[in-house]
Amino acid sequence: MRMRNCFLAAILALALGVCLASCASQEPIIGTWKSSNTGEVSQYNNDGSFNYTSKAGLSLQGTWEPYDRVKTLTADGSEWKVYVVIPANRSVTGNGSLGNQHGYNDKYGDYYRLINKDRMMLAVGAGNIDRIAESHSFSDLEKEYESKRVN
């Protein structure tokens, strides 16, 4: 009987360890986010896709991935993980993007998300990622577009 209880305890500990490891490896961007100011909602999925819906009912779909040039940065006293968001109707070369109009020749275009636990900031253009990384702070524009995790 004692051997069986030890065996069951070992199985439960192993199952708990696997569950915790799989939860810990999930990208922080995955989930539903709601803008603090506008109420707009965005959903970032495990498969690398995203959906965004504005208050006016406009929707946008595309993909997201960790940003390969700047993986994390420190701003406002916290560490933030950096992601790039690529709308489906936009070229990944950034052609015609706001970023290119401002001289940010980043292959991804304009849209970056910075995640710290349950907070998300938006940054437009690779030049702003560089500015945030160098200054270690967000501008009023990024703070205006802050989102909070809904789930």
Side-chain angles (χ1 to χ4, degrees):
M1 182 74 150
R2 181 178 165 102
M3 182 71 126
R4 188 178 88 174
N5 287 343
C6 288
F7 179 73
L8 287 174
I11 294 291
L12 286 173
L14 180 64
L16 180 62
V18 168
C19 180
L20 289 175
S22 68
C23 292
S25 66
Q26 179 171 297
E27 292 286 346
I29 195 171
I30 294 171
T32 303
W33 299 82
K34 186 174 185 178
S35 168
S36 303
N37 291 333
T38 66
E40 295 171 334
V41 175
S42 55
Q43 172 71 41
Y44 296 86
N45 304 308
N46 249 341
D47 65 0
S49 66
F50 81 90
N51 300 295
Y52 162 81
T53 306
S54 73
K55 281 185 90 170
L58 301 172
S59 65
L60 181 67
Q61 294 81 37
T63 60
W64 64 267
E65 62 188 58
Y67 187 37
D68 61 0
R69 196 167 63 81
V70 179
K71 299 197 184 307
T72 60
L73 55 81
T74 302
D76 293 349
S78 299
E79 185 172 274
W80 297 77
K81 187 151 184 183
V82 183
Y83 295 89
V84 62
V85 175
I86 307 165
N89 63 347
R90 232 184 229 218
S91 165
V92 293
T93 62
N95 291 336
S97 71
L98 180 65
N100 276 355
Q101 292 169 17
H102 292 283
Y104 309 139
N105 293 316
D106 193 279
K107 68 179 181 177
Y108 296 113
D110 301 337
Y111 302 99
Y112 300 86
R113 301 295 184 271
L114 295 95
I115 309 293
N116 174 270
K117 299 177 185 166
D118 291 336
R119 293 176 64 202
M120 175 189 290
M121 297 291 202
L122 172 129
V124 177
N128 280 327
I129 294 295
D130 293 339
R131 179 194 49 76
I132 294 165
E134 290 170 10
S135 70
H136 302 288
S137 66
F138 293 109
S139 72
D140 289 340
L141 179 62
E142 283 104 21
K143 291 176 182 176
E144 183 178 335
Y145 289 100
E146 181 178 355
S147 293
K148 301 282 186 186
R149 184 183 302 278
V150 176
N151 71 1

